[in-house]
Amino acid sequence: MILVTGATGHVGRELVKELVHREQEVRIVVRDLARAREVPDGVERVVADFADTEALRAAFEGADQLFLLVPGIAHAPAVNALAAAVSAGIRHVVYLSSYAVAVDPMPAMGRWHHEREQLVHASGIPATVLRPCGFMTNTLDWLPTLREGGYVLDPVGPGKAALIDPADIGAVAAVALTDDGHAGAGYTLTGDQPLTTAEQAAVLAAAAGIQIEVREVQTPEQAVRFRYPDGAPPELAAALVEGLRLMRADTEGLRTDTVRRLLGRPPRSFTDWCHDHAEAFRPAC
């Protein structure tokens, strides 16, 4: 039995579909069953919250593998989930971390994930760590400004990123969970196309048949205020500013061949993702 947390998010949804395709026995843990409406038939659904240790232990019982995705920056959800995993006799954990762990010097976002990775290893359960870069689905965050005025905000200028499709992350996670030889490994996952925000906008505009204006943000702090108009916790805001400055400085874009090696095919391109999701960006009739 494979237990999946974060099953209704961008990566978790794709992982569950891949595991079902592989005819695996799957159980998902959700806080709200209503969010699991699109989960494939045959997948067991259990309601539990990371803060409810008793419910977590019951939800984990009988599972032997775990895909662990925890929200936010607090470590308590990971601590509680790992305690439940140890209690249930989980034999293997695949933890979704971040590429920021491998950045030198390690930024705050990387340190938080690194500390969680250490918690995973300290549990004594054999683990595989996935460290993806930015998701292609983050482009959906552009929808408010596109609908407001046909523009996107660019806080990173010349910085490039080889965005990855969450479907590829889910496929790699499925390999790690169902094939032998991945315990103890750490995989940095990227796409194949390093692009600036302006280049991403041009690809999306062509795919969706729309006009997109790119407005460069003058400071990272402005980008944080736009994303969190009611304010972000100071620690998170500082980490976001730090991350955006590092992204601006990376004019080549981190790229690895890990997806190709593990899946036997190239990662999906941003162009393909944009064509598949073009309708979401077109104006409503």
Side-chain angles (χ1 to χ4, degrees):
M1 165 81 72
I2 298 175
L3 185 72
V4 178
T5 64
T8 59
H10 292 300
V11 174
R13 283 201 305 265
E14 299 295 342
L15 169 59
V16 170
K17 287 191 290 188
E18 185 69 25
L19 292 174
V20 170
H21 177 72
R22 289 171 173 249
E23 299 182 340
Q24 298 295 310
E25 187 179 5
V26 181
R27 178 191 297 162
I28 65 170
V29 180
V30 294
R31 287 181 294 175
D32 181 2
L33 282 177
R35 297 189 61 190
R37 291 194 187 98
E38 297 182 7
V39 173
D41 293 339
V43 172
E44 183 181 356
R45 297 153 171 81
V46 178
V47 176
D49 189 284
F50 282 114
D52 188 338
T53 56
E54 185 175 339
L56 275 182
R57 289 179 187 273
F60 282 40
E61 196 63 38
D64 52 19
Q65 296 208 72
L66 168 66
F67 176 75
L68 181 60
L69 187 163
V70 291
I73 61 176
H75 292 335
V79 170
N80 293 342
L82 290 166
V86 170
S87 176
I90 296 287
R91 297 184 291 102
H92 180 212
V93 174
V94 173
Y95 170 61
L96 188 69
S97 182
S98 166
Y99 81 101
V101 171
V103 174
D104 185 21
M106 190 184 299
M109 287 290 187
R111 290 195 298 273
W112 291 329
H113 279 286
H114 179 62
E115 288 163 3
R116 288 181 182 173
E117 289 183 17
Q118 290 179 313
L119 291 171
V120 171
H121 294 310
S123 74
I125 303 172
T128 307
V129 175
L130 307 183
R131 300 182 183 125
C133 66
F135 297 0
M136 292 179 184
T137 46
N138 292 346
T139 310
L140 295 168
D141 293 343
W142 293 353
L143 284 172
T145 57
L146 286 174
R147 288 170 177 165
E148 173 190 318
Y151 69 94
V152 300
L153 295 176
D154 176 10
V156 298
K160 291 188 175 185
L163 302 179
I164 186 168
D165 189 333
D168 284 339
I169 304 172
V172 168
V175 167
L177 287 162
T178 59
D179 293 353
D180 294 332
H182 298 286
Y187 298 126
T188 299
L189 309 176
T190 75
D192 258 355
Q193 276 182 295
L195 300 170
T196 64
T197 297
E199 289 167 340
Q200 293 168 30
V203 171
L204 176 60
I210 58 176
Q211 296 292 319
I212 299 178
E213 177 190 354
V214 179
R215 298 182 183 177
E216 186 161 347
V217 176
Q218 297 305 307
T219 68
E221 290 82 0
Q222 285 180 303
V224 173
R225 285 197 298 272
F226 176 80
R227 186 171 177 183
Y228 295 95
D230 297 326
E235 192 176 13
L236 176 59
L240 290 170
V241 168
E242 180 186 31
L244 289 171
R245 286 180 173 145
L246 289 171
M247 290 170 66
R248 174 177 282 274
D250 182 6
T251 57
E252 293 186 5
L254 173 68
R255 185 167 43 168
T256 71
D257 66 350
T258 311
V259 171
R260 186 184 297 267
R261 287 191 294 105
L262 294 178
L263 301 184
R265 60 165 176 80
R268 295 193 70 224
S269 71
F270 185 63
T271 300
D272 287 342
W273 185 91
C274 288
H275 280 288
D276 288 347
H277 296 82
E279 194 58 38
F281 295 92
R282 294 183 179 122
C285 296

